[in-house]
Amino acid sequence: QVQLVESGGGLVQPGGSLRLSCAASGFTFSSYHMFWYRQAPGKERELVASIGGRRTNYADSVKGRFTISRDNAKNTVFLQMSSLKPDDTAVYYCKAWAGLGYEYWGQGTQVTVSS
């Protein structure tokens, strides 16, 4: 059974940091591109970062502040978030993708940036 389980969300003050984790099981993790998305209240879900092999990509809004990484031995993808802003408040989701019909989503973890 395929599972993606996010963790690490919470409440943090502006300027603070959080590290999100997404633990995968039930598929060949190393063969999948991994993504982090987020969805703020009243807004569409947006791509935050992606990692495929050694290649990473970021949304302009998080470049220089967020870092995506993966540990294939532990079947886990991470999102290190620094210099957090209130606009980063959202539910963060991880996604695994390996082509048409091979796409899986986690349930999400809430990140709230507020003083």
Side-chain angles (χ1 to χ4, degrees), residues 10-115:
L11 173 64
V12 63
Q13 292 187 342
S17 299
L18 280 176
R19 189 192 196 202
L20 305 184
S21 300
C22 174
S25 60
F27 62 97
T28 307
F29 179 79
S30 59
S31 297
Y32 281 67
H33 291 249
M34 298 300 297
F35 304 80
W36 284 99
Y37 284 76
R38 67 185 180 186
Q39 187 166 21
K43 295 187 177 180
E44 293 187 354
R45 192 171 295 190
E46 65 172 348
L47 176 63
V48 174
S50 66
I51 184 167
R54 298 180 181 178
R55 187 170 184 175
T56 59
N57 285 288
Y58 298 92
D60 287 344
S61 60
V62 306
K63 278 182 182 176
R65 300 189 298 121
F66 290 12
T67 302
I68 188 171
S69 62
R70 66 192 295 165
D71 184 338
N72 288 340
K74 296 183 178 180
N75 291 351
T76 303
V77 62
F78 305 97
L79 187 68
Q80 178 68 48
M81 306 186 294
S82 303
S83 302
L84 283 161
K85 306 174 183 179
D87 284 350
D88 295 318
T89 295
V91 178
Y92 284 71
Y93 301 89
C94 69
K95 183 182 86 171
W97 180 86
L100 186 63
Y102 296 93
E103 180 177 297
Y104 312 117
W105 287 87
Q107 292 301 304
T109 185
Q110 176 71 47
V111 172
T112 302
V113 184
S114 175
S115 55

